[in-house]
Each structure stands twice: as C-alpha cells, then as structure tokens.
Amino acid sequence: MKKLIIAGNWKLYITDAGQAKKLVSSIKRKAAAYRGTDIILFPPAPLLSHVIAAAGPSMSVGAQHVSAFSEGAYTGYDSSILVKNLGGRWALVGHSEQRTHENEDEVHAQVKEANDAGLSVLLCVGESERDPGGAHFALIERQLSSALAGYPKTASKLAIAYEPVWAIGKSAEEAMKPQDLEEMAIFIRRALTELFDRTAANKIPILYGGSVDATNARDLVKHGGVSGLLVGRTSADAASFLELIDSVQTDSR
Ligand code: PGA
C-alpha cells in the first residue's frame, strides 16, 4: 500500500524555539509507530534548524517558502540551497497565503529552484471560489501547467497539495466534502498526465489541505481520492495533530 503523507504547515502559529522543540518531540515519540505514514513538518524559517535537529530520521522537515534565487544580494529572502544545506528535505511552494503577493512566474521559478537544489516540492494549488460554470478547474489546470513547466519528466520529488482557498482556516464543517474532493483529485491526476508520462504522473502524491482536523481527516483520505493531507492550524498542537494522524492509520482506511 502507498504511504500516506501527513504534512504539518505550522504557518506562524509557533513563535518560540522551545515550543517548537516540545511539539516535535511529542510527535516524534509516536512517529515510529506510524509506519504507513510519512510526516513532514513545515516550521517558520527561523525555526528550521531547531526542528531539523529535533526531528531526527523519522520525520522530514521543509521550508514554508523558498525564493527563486539561490544566493546573492537578496535581503530578507531564503533559498532552497540554504534549506537543503540545513538538512531540510521539502519546500512548500505556491501556498495561497504567498500567492496573494506572488505571481505564477515567481511560483514557477521557486519550483525550479527547489528542484535544482535537490529539495522535494509540495506545490499548492487551489481556487479562491468555486464557479458554477467550472472555471475553477481551468484555474487549477493553469496553476499546475505554469508551475511545473520544464519540471523533470520523471516527476520525482514532487507532490501536489490541493487547497481551495475558501476552505482554509475555517472549521471542519466548512472543509471540502470528500465527494467534491474526489472529483478534483481525478481532475488533477488527469492534468498531471498531460504534463508527465502516465506512469510518472500516477505516482505523484495528491494531498488535500483546508480545515482538516481529526473529525474529517479519515473521510477525506478514505473517500476523497487523495494520498495525504496538508494540515495548518491543527498541526501546531501536538495532541490535535496526533489525534488526526491516529484517525487515518491503515486499519481505519
Ligand atoms: P488550515 O490550513 O488547516 O488551518 O485550514 C491549511 C493550509 O493552509 O495549509
């Protein structure tokens, strides 16, 4: 069975290294038991080295944002190479909270830079609102084809997070419904086969993100056609995050 990916996007919920280390060690205590699940943590950049040191080999760590530049006169930017050299393994790219001020060309350049640096890319796509005429499908297709233009055809080190903006940061009742998610997951898979060989495209994990907690995670994974979840607020609290991971373990799928 394919491994499930549960990624925790801490956003800016954690503001202290001690708090971060505590959170990591609580997750780590149980991580080894989750054999069918890969856990990835995305802390705020200044906490990356603390989290990488605390996480050990049972979890991966990545940056919430990487710039399109590797090095140079770029005050305030972080690069994929820097993340990689710190021991990070992933880059979250194109999150909607970054797309508010970044365009598709920048997202594309960041994907390329992360891939060149040897990081795995978790590319976020998602519409701000659903359109009864289906325009949101075209938007998702464009976000994928624009960000992934020129990406190596093997599509290795790549995962997609479908995160409808309207479903982020709400309550579980307002998250996307599994049947709607399944339709979108099929659409994204088909769009990926336009960009990569079918075999390569079929291997790309598709995750869902947006108001996931322990009450809806299992149904989203079981009936939504996705192989993982990108979790925001719930991932910043050890008990809630572990409860969520428990709820999607193999025997419940
Ligand atoms: P949320 O965030 O789980 O708090 O809705 C998800 C995300 O934006 O990655």
Side-chain angles (χ1 to χ4, degrees), residues 28-112:
K28 190 173 158 183
R29 270 199 292 278
K30 290 202 73 182
Y34 298 132
R35 257 184 245 118
T37 306
D38 281 335
I39 300 173
I40 312 169
L41 303 177
F42 290 99
L47 296 176
L48 266 173
S49 47
H50 295 284
V51 173
I52 289 165
S58 53
M59 292 180 271
S60 308
V61 181
Q64 293 177 13
H65 182 262
V66 287
S67 79
F69 312 108
S70 49
E71 58 178 297
Y74 301 107
T75 305
Y77 289 75
D78 298 309
S79 75
S80 287
I81 289 177
L82 174 60
V83 174
K84 174 83 176 165
N85 287 341
L86 282 174
R89 305 215 343 234
W90 285 82
L92 194 62
V93 183
H95 191 281
S96 57
E97 286 153 17
Q98 289 287 343
R99 284 185 192 262
T100 55
H101 53 272
E102 285 182 343
N103 63 34
E104 289 186 359
D105 289 344
E106 287 166 291
V107 172
H108 170 253
Q110 291 160 7
V111 167
K112 183 174 179 334

Side-chain angles (χ1 to χ4, degrees), residues 2-60:
K2 265 210 286 192
K3 272 199 160 185
L4 196 65
I5 297 175
I6 304 292
N9 173 12
W10 292 2
K11 306 194 180 190
L12 198 41
Y13 289 120
I14 307 290
T15 54
D16 172 84
Q19 195 189 359
K21 284 190 211 161
K22 251 175 136 170
L23 178 52
V24 176
S25 53
S26 307
I27 301 165
K28 190 173 158 183
R29 270 199 292 278
K30 290 202 73 182
Y34 298 132
R35 257 184 245 118
T37 306
D38 281 335
I39 300 173
I40 312 169
L41 303 177
F42 290 99
L47 296 176
L48 266 173
S49 47
H50 295 284
V51 173
I52 289 165
S58 53
M59 292 180 271
S60 308

Side-chain angles (χ1 to χ4, degrees), residues 172-191:
E173 299 81 64
E174 291 172 82
M176 188 167 217
K177 300 291 167 270
Q179 60 274 23
D180 296 332
L181 175 59
E182 188 182 24
E183 182 189 31
M184 183 54 91
I186 292 169
F187 177 83
I188 289 173
R189 181 74 63 204
R190 198 174 311 133

Side-chain angles (χ1 to χ4, degrees), residues 9 11 13 95 97 163 167-169 210-212 230-233:
N9 173 12
K11 306 194 180 190
Y13 289 120
H95 191 281
E97 286 153 17
E163 296 209 309
I168 292 177
S211 300
V212 183
L230 177 56
V231 184
R233 197 177 33 203

Side-chain angles (χ1 to χ4, degrees), residues 126-137 140 162 164-167 176-177 179-185 187-188 208:
E127 76 282 359
S128 301
E129 54 187 19
R130 297 227 120 192
D131 169 55
H136 51 283
F137 285 104
I140 300 302
Y162 170 61
V165 182
W166 50 267
M176 188 167 217
K177 300 291 167 270
Q179 60 274 23
D180 296 332
L181 175 59
E182 188 182 24
E183 182 189 31
M184 183 54 91
F187 177 83
I188 289 173
Y208 167 77

